[in-house]
Amino acid sequence: MDVTPILENLNDAQRQAVTAEAEPTLVIAGAGSGKTRVLTHRAAWLIDVERISPHSLLAVTFTNKAAAEMRNRIESLLDMPVRHLWIGTFHGLAHRLLRRHWREAGLPQSFQIIDSDDQLRLIKRLVKNLELDDSWVPREVQYFINAQKDEGLRPKHLDDDGDPHRRQMIALYGEYQQLCDRGGLVDFAELLLRAHELWRDNPELLAHYRRRFQHLLVDEFQDTNAIQYAWLRLLAGDGGVPFVVGDDDQSIYRWRGARVEHIRQFQKDFPATTVVKLEQNYRSTATILNAANAVIANNAERMGKNLWTEGAEGEAIRVYSAYNERDEADFVIGRLRDWIDQGNLRADAAILYRSNAQSRVLEEGLINARIPYRVYGGLRFFERAEIKDALAYLRLIANRDDDSSFERIVNRPTRGIGARTVEAMRSYARANSCSMWRAAGAIASDELSSRAANAVLAFLHLIERLAHETSDFDLQDQVDHVIHASGLIDFFKKDKGEKGETRVENLLELVSAAKGFEPDPAEEMSPLDEFLSHAALEAGEGQAEAWEDCVQLMTMHSAKGLEFPLVFLSGMEDGLFPHQRSINDPNGLEEERRLCYVGITRAKQTLYVTHAEQRRLHGMDNFSQPSRFISEIPDEYVEEIRPRVQVTRPMHTASPSRRRRSTSIAPGAEAGIRLGQRVRHGKFGDGVILNCEGQGAHARVEVNFETGGTKWLVLSYANLDLM
Ligand code: ATP
Ligand code: MG
């Protein structure tokens, strides 16, 4: 095959990185300089030119979505599907290893992943059982446990330094872990820690994976935490070839244990490292890039780098001072309307905010304006109560010892099992070191009143019956049967009004999710186990199933790595962003500024920055100053918009000088490409165009293939026929 597509559209520095010798490589570069592109092309280069088997590559990205996108891009560069290529998040990859080697990892085969809500519930129970006083806040205990795990520490590694509070924390960590181990429950931090211990303690297994994964490709390296780095380090050994890309200015997860210092550590651990710097930005207009550079220049802790663009100067950054949060939402929606009316894709517009709760008002506005939108990480489908109820049934069917699921549904729908009965089960379980399931069976036969015993036995019987009835159903029918036969649907139907209705709809949507779920034939687990793991892993990211063209809403944290022609940074107020708790902490403030840099650099063409003088959030009214980050953008790049006179005035009647220049990003129009168009691909078969972006040689389309799922293809070298 002609290698040109892989090296085309790369500058010299990018090409140097893509074609580097098999030696440790560190690409360190600012936003939008093509780091992710380099990583993708590197993978394709290794496979296609260096003839490295895809089997020998391990690629780590930051989200499942990014992983899927990377796979698509590699496939479109190679113009063929690549199987046996491991691409995923650290958590996803760790999970895969634990599934394969559950025995060596000391886990039951049907172990379940618990998300942070489940984790918190277990900890609450623990704190209550131990009859600790109110100074023991479950959330703080949770934070402590996760922080230790992120550092790779077990209770036995911890010293209380003679501090009784710390001693109790360590004891709680130990108790919590025992509880999880007994129920076969694995929290997010545990996935990483166990996967590390798996290799550390099984030299033969490690040797196997070292032989297998020669090339380790890591995106967003600046946000790796201690245990992730240790895991990579272990895998790389002396012979592996780590190829990592990152930007110290975009390190935004310190609060979750990420350590930007790993960039320096890497160079110490791998002294032969070649460092490549990329300095040209291809994403944003000069105005946007200069503004971002000016803001981040206020940070003292930086490795320092130049970033320039050949791109056009572009439009000024519009700063809008809203009267309150509703006015802010109206403004944003007015601009979105213009954008859509001009024929742009909704999906090319993103509204970013600092904290999740800010989305509600924006969502209301979008709903009223009938603009379709999608929230990433906010309304997490798999975290909605009714969905978790249904999943708990499924999990209990898969594993009777899953206490967290047991407690969740033992009396849901209500079946006469009261708090006292549950408490009796708990103390039996505690005294006998057994699961709630076993405890329930044991006490039903002697300790309980006959009414309570009947209720408990009926529940145990129900679960056994569901397990039996669905044992040879396919996943979709299994889910469908369970949500009905468990009584959940009827339970929520009784809840009159919109809420109950939405819950029923959500449950039914779970059946569709199961229907659309494609188990990976390479995974050695039942489709149900795989679906449940998928649900737990996806919940952290929200879902992206809607292929409808819609506006994107997300926190600035979730926007990392993404780019959009039109971006709104909303809620830019001191106290909100920078966040209140970081205002008096220099390190915290620098992290917030990096987050602001991430936010600004998501924009390709048009950037709006909005703040409100008065804001009602979490039920409280606040009056705030505009974010200090706004004043860090030099005036020359800013145009202020202040419609104080009449707040309710429709924004699109603003004076022409304030109107955004019209921008055309309707790609592929000249090539006759349109959304919904049917196409045929030489390898992937027939499909429909869902999305397109970029222009000329860079134009790409997203195609939903009837068999292969959705893929992004570069028009200029994908062999696509219009039908
Ligand atoms: P971030 O720091 O935000 O993760 P990044 O460094 O990973 O950004 P990419 O997302 O890889 O940057 O690239 C930014 C944009 O620039 C993308 O649209 C990419 O396709 C484009 N791009 C990168 N390199 C080139 C190039 N040599 N020629 C044309 N476009 C490029
Ligand atoms: Mg990137």
Side-chain angles (χ1 to χ4, degrees):
M1 181 190 153
D2 189 356
V3 302
T4 36
I6 298 175
L7 294 185
E8 248 174 32
N9 303 319
L10 294 177
N11 64 31
D12 289 348
Q14 291 174 332
R15 197 168 298 144
Q16 182 203 339
V18 167
T19 61
E21 296 290 302
E23 59 194 19
T25 303
L26 169 67
V27 178
I28 191 81
S33 58
K35 294 182 296 299
T36 302
R37 171 182 281 223
V38 160
L39 205 73
T40 310
H41 284 238
R42 170 76 174 171
W45 171 267
L46 290 173
I47 295 168
D48 195 53
V49 179
E50 302 285 353
R51 294 283 159 201
I52 306 279
S53 158
H55 191 257
S56 307
L57 260 59
L58 179 80
V60 190
T61 62
F62 205 70
T63 60
N64 291 322
K65 187 168 179 279
E69 173 128 351
M70 183 168 292
R71 182 183 294 279
N72 281 337
R73 292 201 181 184
I74 294 172
E75 290 185 343
S76 78
L77 279 171
L78 296 172
D79 209 10
M80 62 173 193
V82 226
R83 290 190 199 94
H84 312 297
L85 170 59
W86 281 34
I87 303 185
T89 61
F90 278 108
H91 288 100
L93 295 168
H95 170 245
R96 182 183 280 205
L97 281 171
L98 296 178
R99 285 286 173 207
R100 298 200 156 192
H101 307 289
W102 52 274
R103 218 179 262 115
E104 293 91 329
L107 289 168
Q109 184 168 16
S110 59
F111 75 84
Q112 298 292 322
I113 305 177
I114 55 172
D115 68 13
S116 81
D117 278 1
D118 294 329
Q119 185 186 32
L120 189 63
R121 193 166 313 110
L122 283 181
I123 293 172
K124 274 189 187 149
R125 201 175 104 201
L126 204 64
V127 169
K128 195 155 163 258
N129 281 348
L130 295 175
E131 296 176 357
L132 298 176
D133 66 54
D134 288 350
S135 68
W136 293 91
V137 183
R139 244 177 225 294
E140 287 172 10
V141 178
Q142 180 182 32
Y143 182 85
F144 175 86
I145 293 174
N146 291 339
Q148 305 313 315
K149 290 189 176 189
D150 285 345
E151 295 293 321
L153 301 169
R154 293 291 184 193
K156 64 174 182 219
H157 300 126
L158 298 171
D159 197 337
D160 62 24
D161 305 322
D163 172 355
H165 183 84
R166 191 171 156 82
R167 186 175 321 132
Q168 180 63 267
M169 273 292 192
I170 298 170
L172 278 167
Y173 176 12
E175 296 253 350
Y176 164 79
Q177 198 52 49
Q178 271 179 19
L179 200 65
C180 287
D181 291 348
R182 218 162 49 221
L185 304 178
V186 176
D187 61 52
F188 285 164
E190 183 73 17
L191 283 172
L192 302 174
L193 180 50
R194 276 243 180 189
H196 180 257
E197 292 171 345
L198 172 70
W199 281 344
R200 189 196 61 193
D201 302 339
N202 294 279
E204 280 178 16
L205 206 61
L206 175 61
H208 163 80
Y209 280 102
R210 279 186 174 166
R211 272 194 306 276
R212 169 168 179 180
F213 293 123
Q214 225 193 327
H215 290 270
L216 319 177
L217 311 175
V218 186
D219 200 358
E220 306 279 2
F221 180 68
Q222 75 281 355
D223 271 327
T224 45
N225 68 22
I227 192 72
Q228 292 166 341
Y229 184 73
W231 186 80
L232 276 178
R233 181 78 199 80
L234 197 58
L235 179 58
D238 293 327
V241 186
F243 184 101
V244 307
V245 310
D247 177 4
D248 59 306
D249 286 332
Q250 294 186 68
S251 158
I252 53 175
Y253 282 100
R254 193 170 187 93
W255 53 282
R256 248 172 33 184
R259 291 290 171 265
V260 66
E261 294 83 344
H262 290 143
I263 295 178
R264 291 213 168 80
Q265 187 62 38
F266 184 87
Q267 296 175 70
K268 282 193 201 129
D269 288 349
F270 303 95
T273 297
T274 306
V275 179
V276 180
K277 294 200 167 187
L278 309 177
E279 301 194 319
Q280 182 171 359
N281 171 295
Y282 289 91
R283 177 180 294 150
S284 310
T285 63
T287 299
I288 292 169
L289 184 64
N290 292 339
N293 284 343
V295 169
I296 197 69
N298 291 288
N299 270 7
E301 288 293 320
R302 295 185 67 206
M303 298 178 75
K305 47 183 136 31
N306 298 321
L307 204 53
W308 55 277
T309 174
E310 273 177 358
E313 182 187 331
E315 313 154 37
I317 295 169
R318 275 30 165 245
V319 175
Y320 180 71
S321 308
Y323 169 63
N324 60 19
E325 77 280 0
R326 293 188 180 281
D327 177 34
E328 181 187 48
D330 286 349
F331 173 80
V332 169
I333 283 150
R335 298 294 132 141
L336 280 173
R337 276 235 171 87
D338 291 351
W339 173 260
I340 297 162
D341 289 348
Q342 284 161 9
N344 295 305
L345 288 176
R346 298 182 196 107
D348 279 346
I351 312 177
L352 311 184
Y353 36 80
R354 175 67 180 84
S355 66
N356 257 315
Q358 281 169 257
S359 78
R360 196 188 52 82
V361 180
L362 294 161
E363 287 187 59
E364 268 174 27
L366 288 161
I367 291 168
N368 289 337
R370 297 179 193 284
I371 299 178
Y373 69 93
R374 192 185 321 164
V375 179
Y376 282 90
L379 303 172
R380 299 166 206 177
F381 180 74
F382 285 110
E383 282 191 1
R384 292 175 192 161
E386 61 280 13
I387 298 302
K388 294 189 72 169
D389 293 340
L391 291 174
Y393 273 96
L394 293 164
R395 292 163 74 143
L396 205 56
I397 288 170
N399 169 18
R400 307 287 190 284
D401 294 333
D402 181 339
D403 284 356
S404 126
S405 296
F406 184 98
E407 287 218 11
R408 181 171 188 105
I409 52 170
V410 65
N411 198 36
R412 194 170 175 93
T414 24
R415 49 174 72 87
I417 301 179
R420 277 230 307 282
T421 308
V422 175
E423 192 49 55
M425 292 177 202
R426 276 195 206 120
S427 52
Y428 185 94
R430 199 160 56 235
N432 295 279
S433 290
C434 68
S435 63
M436 295 286 281
W437 176 269
R438 272 162 224 245
I443 63 169
S445 41
D446 46 55
E447 280 178 37
L448 298 179
S449 72
S450 67
R451 230 173 91 201
N454 283 340
V456 169
L457 290 174
F459 173 67
L460 301 182
H461 184 70
L462 170 70
I463 299 295
E464 293 289 9
R465 185 165 62 84
L466 290 176
H468 178 71
E469 285 168 354
T470 60
S471 61
D472 45 34
F473 282 8
D474 62 20
L475 182 61
Q476 173 194 356
D477 294 337
Q478 208 167 9
V479 174
D480 193 41
H481 185 69
V482 166
I483 60 173
H484 287 95
S486 63
L488 279 177
I489 291 270
D490 287 340
F491 176 65
F492 288 118
K493 269 193 181 151
K494 271 190 239 139
D495 182 358
K496 293 287 173 229
E498 227 170 78
K499 225 174 182 173
E501 207 173 290
T502 316
R503 289 178 189 251
V504 171
E505 281 170 14
N506 280 336
L507 283 173
L508 298 174
E509 180 62 24
L510 186 65
V511 181
S512 332
K515 185 173 175 205
F517 182 70
E518 287 175 30
D520 182 352
E523 296 289 359
E524 288 142 28
M525 53 176 136
S526 73
L528 177 59
D529 278 343
E530 205 183 326
F531 181 65
L532 292 172
S533 305
H534 160 83
L537 288 168
E538 283 289 318
E541 288 182 22
Q543 44 160 27
E545 88 286 336
W547 297 113
E548 199 186 358
D549 174 32
C550 51
V551 172
Q552 318 284 307
L553 267 68
M554 68 192 82
T555 62
M556 297 200 208
H557 279 100
S558 347
K560 192 164 86 152
L562 306 180
E563 58 187 23
F564 306 91
L566 171 63
V567 169
F568 296 88
L569 299 185
S570 66
M572 293 283 285
E573 293 134 40
D574 261 18
L576 197 53
F577 189 40
H579 199 279
Q580 190 61 40
R581 64 171 177 262
S582 60
I583 281 186
N584 297 316
D585 161 22
N587 289 332
L589 193 60
E590 293 217 340
E591 176 137 322
E592 293 285 291
R593 193 175 279 112
R594 290 192 290 270
L595 187 57
C596 182
Y597 175 77
V598 169
I600 296 175
T601 54
R602 297 313 96 197
K604 292 164 115 174
Q605 297 166 8
T606 308
L607 176 63
Y608 285 97
V609 174
T610 60
H611 65 92
E613 291 172 3
Q614 180 184 350
R615 177 179 303 275
R616 171 165 282 210
L617 192 65
H618 315 127
M620 300 231 300
D621 281 320
N622 297 297
F623 295 86
S624 344
Q625 294 297 318
S627 168
R628 63 195 68 193
F629 301 144
I630 297 182
S631 55
E632 291 173 3
I633 305 177
D635 289 346
E636 59 188 294
Y637 306 125
V638 175
E639 180 188 330
E640 295 203 26
I641 307 180
R642 292 181 178 276
R644 304 260 162 125
V645 219
Q646 202 188 343
V647 180
T648 50
R649 161 177 74 102
M651 286 315 140
H652 51 264
T653 60
S655 71
S657 67
R658 285 176 180 161
R659 287 185 73 168
R660 192 161 34 81
R661 237 175 271 155
S662 85
T663 46
S664 166
I665 47 133
E670 68 274 78
I673 295 284
R674 56 179 174 74
L675 298 188
Q677 167 110 46
R678 292 195 58 79
V679 292
R680 177 164 295 162
H681 184 273
K683 296 223 166 57
F684 302 130
D686 291 357
V688 174
I689 295 190
L690 300 172
N691 223 330
C692 40
E693 68 172 44
Q695 280 172 333
H698 310 311
R700 308 185 312 138
V701 290
E702 184 178 35
V703 183
N704 185 8
F705 288 104
E706 278 162 16
T707 47
T710 60
K711 302 207 182 304
W712 277 101
L713 302 169
V714 177
L715 272 181
S716 50
Y717 46 81
N719 64 58
L720 271 189
D721 292 327
L722 306 183
M723 293 165 66

